[in-house]
Amino acid sequence: MTREFPREAVAVPQARSFVREVLDTWGVTERFDDMLTCVSELAANVVRHDETHGHSFHVALSGRDGLLRIEVLDASRRHPVVKSPSADSTTGRGLLLVNELADGWGVEPRDPRGKVVWTEFKIAARQGVTSPW
């Protein structure tokens, strides 16, 4: 499942709602909050740091063999960077959260331009529900 979002602040809660809807449809309840937090952080990074003004971004979900993958695709070639914020800093913790909550994450180039930032979660394979499993 994939959906396109505008590169605007309003897209962050929209992306979160999209993931919530898909997870509900697929019957995924475990690690639900972790997944929603991660997609919020990845979408917020696109909105804040994507230098390709005016472009949209996509959020895609897929699952197979007990592994759920969430991807955020944008037109920027700029890779996100894990930071070490100071104790009183109000930003810079998003990828630290993703790193702690997900079972894996990474960045891949996207043709003809841009990148995919992905995060994966190990969950029980589903049977008898509408899902990619």
Side-chain angles (χ1 to χ4, degrees), residues 2 5-6 9 22 33 35 41-42 45 47 53 66-67 71 75 88-89 92 94 105 113 119 121 123:
T2 303
F5 299 93
V22 172
D33 291 332
M35 293 177 200
E41 295 299 335
L42 297 180
N45 278 349
V47 170
H53 302 288
L67 192 65
E71 299 177 336
D88 49 337
S89 178
W105 74 276
R113 67 175 189 267
T119 184
F121 299 86
I123 61 172

Side-chain angles (χ1 to χ4, degrees), residues 25-42:
T25 300
W26 288 350
V28 175
T29 56
E30 62 189 285
R31 307 197 61 193
F32 192 83
D33 291 332
D34 293 347
M35 293 177 200
L36 294 179
T37 298
C38 287
V39 77
S40 294
E41 295 299 335
L42 297 180

Side-chain angles (χ1 to χ4, degrees), residues 13 16-17 31-32 34 46 52-53 59-62 67 71 85 88 93 113 119 122 127:
R16 187 178 172 96
S17 292
R31 307 197 61 193
F32 192 83
D34 293 347
V46 172
T52 58
H53 302 288
V59 174
L61 287 88
S62 60
L67 192 65
E71 299 177 336
D88 49 337
R93 291 178 178 80
R113 67 175 189 267
T119 184
K122 295 175 187 172
Q127 294 181 4

Side-chain angles (χ1 to χ4, degrees), residues 5-9 11 46-50 52-57:
F5 299 93
R7 199 183 65 79
E8 301 171 0
V46 172
V47 170
R48 284 188 205 118
H49 303 294
D50 182 357
T52 58
H53 302 288
H55 287 275
S56 58
F57 69 97

